[in-house]
Amino acid sequence: VDLAFQYYHLMSALADYDETGDIKDHLEKIDEEEGPDVRVLAKGTGRIEIVRDDRLERVYYKIPNVCWHLTNQTKDELMWNIKRDNQQDKILDFFEQSPFLRNEMYLRNQLSKEKTFSWLAKHEERFQKISFIVALLINAIIIASYVAPPSDVGLMDEHFQYVHPYIYFVIMILGLVQVMASTLTFFIYRRYHEPIILRRAWKEREPDVEYENLERNVSFHLFSLYFL
């Protein structure tokens, strides 16, 4: 695999200097013949552009596997929140945020080795949608099926059925589904997102102290709850 990446990087670099376009045509031909395999190489290849002797050069490299654990949400936050006052500030801010990016990638790489949790984490968004949709459905059923008591019946009358028993049973089942989906979402949040959020928040509050060296006292736990 490494040899295939090196060959692909070499061909891509040569294609940048090939004025005839023969190498580019050769890569496209290989892509047609070996489609999926070449697409894996293309997807796993990164590129940076550097200026050397007033000349733009492109450098190709293999993207480490751990980098695939960086979420799209984190990428979007980096793109939108990075300082853009000038080129120097942008680079400095990127390097200041890079430790958090590495921590997130390595943490999620470790968690991905747990097969059950890895499967749950992949479906986190689905569990959130299920919980939300079920909550809406429960409220819609209650609004549609609720029966107001007659004027001569008290609001707290135990013998009056505000909801049909079958409707009540359906609401109970949906409630259990929502509890399960919400519990899974909360569990995923605690394992998947909480450590990253706390590291970033404590770094802003205590920039000179490593997160692992912070004293786990009452103040630490109270502030951690506040950060979450």
Side-chain angles (χ1 to χ4, degrees):
V1 175
D2 291 337
L3 184 60
F5 270 106
Q6 292 175 12
Y7 174 76
Y8 184 81
H9 297 164
L10 176 62
M11 295 293 291
S12 299
L14 293 175
D16 293 336
Y17 298 96
D18 181 27
E19 297 179 355
T20 63
D22 293 339
I23 298 179
K24 186 177 181 181
D25 294 338
H26 179 63
L27 285 174
E28 292 177 352
K29 183 178 179 181
I30 296 177
D31 187 19
E32 294 175 358
E33 296 176 354
E34 306 289 342
D37 297 329
V38 176
R39 293 190 191 100
V40 169
L41 297 177
K43 185 178 179 181
T45 296
R47 185 185 72 183
I48 59 173
E49 296 180 344
I50 60 175
V51 177
R52 182 181 299 169
D53 298 330
D54 296 329
R55 183 176 181 180
L56 182 67
E57 295 183 10
R58 293 170 179 167
V59 179
Y60 297 87
Y61 61 93
K62 180 184 176 183
I63 300 175
N65 293 332
V66 70
C67 293
W68 298 111
H69 295 283
L70 195 64
T71 61
N72 291 328
Q73 180 181 354
T74 302
K75 295 177 185 177
D76 292 339
E77 290 178 355
L78 178 66
M79 291 292 294
W80 287 105
N81 297 329
I82 198 167
K83 295 179 181 178
R84 290 184 170 84
D85 298 335
N86 53 62
Q87 191 69 19
Q88 183 178 2
D89 287 345
K90 184 176 6 179
I91 295 174
L92 289 175
D93 191 36
F94 174 78
F95 278 103
E96 287 178 359
Q97 297 191 42
S98 60
F100 301 110
L101 302 179
R102 290 198 301 270
N103 288 333
E104 177 178 346
M105 288 186 289
Y106 286 119
L107 173 63
R108 291 180 174 168
N109 181 47
Q110 291 296 324
L111 293 175
S112 66
K113 297 177 182 178
E114 303 177 18
K115 293 183 179 180
T116 302
F117 180 79
S118 178
W119 183 87
L120 291 174
K122 289 179 181 178
H123 296 83
E124 177 187 10
E125 188 174 346
R126 181 173 298 177
F127 292 135
Q128 293 175 349
K129 290 181 179 178
I130 290 174
S131 179
F132 178 72
I133 292 173
V134 170
L136 291 179
L137 187 59
I138 290 174
N139 284 275
I141 292 175
I142 292 175
I143 293 172
S145 61
Y146 177 79
V147 178
S151 58
D152 58 341
V153 177
L155 293 177
M156 302 302 293
D157 191 345
E158 297 179 357
H159 300 288
F160 183 79
Q161 293 183 347
Y162 297 91
V163 179
H164 193 279
Y166 292 114
I167 301 294
Y168 180 77
F169 177 75
V170 172
I171 292 176
M172 288 290 293
I173 297 298
L174 291 175
L176 291 174
V177 173
Q178 186 187 23
V179 169
M180 292 176 60
S182 300
T183 302
L184 289 173
T185 302
F186 177 73
F187 172 72
I188 295 170
Y189 178 84
R190 288 294 307 273
R191 291 289 307 277
Y192 207 61
H193 301 287
E194 181 179 309
I196 299 166
I197 295 174
L198 290 180
R199 282 178 178 274
R200 186 182 294 271
W202 277 107
K203 186 63 176 179
E204 294 178 357
R205 181 175 176 81
E206 301 287 347
D208 299 327
V209 183
E210 292 295 331
Y211 178 75
E212 289 77 6
N213 298 330
L214 289 170
E215 184 179 355
R216 266 49 174 184
N217 51 24
V218 176
S219 177
F220 171 84
H221 294 292
L222 289 176
F223 274 109
S224 295
L225 289 174
Y226 171 76
F227 295 147
L228 294 173

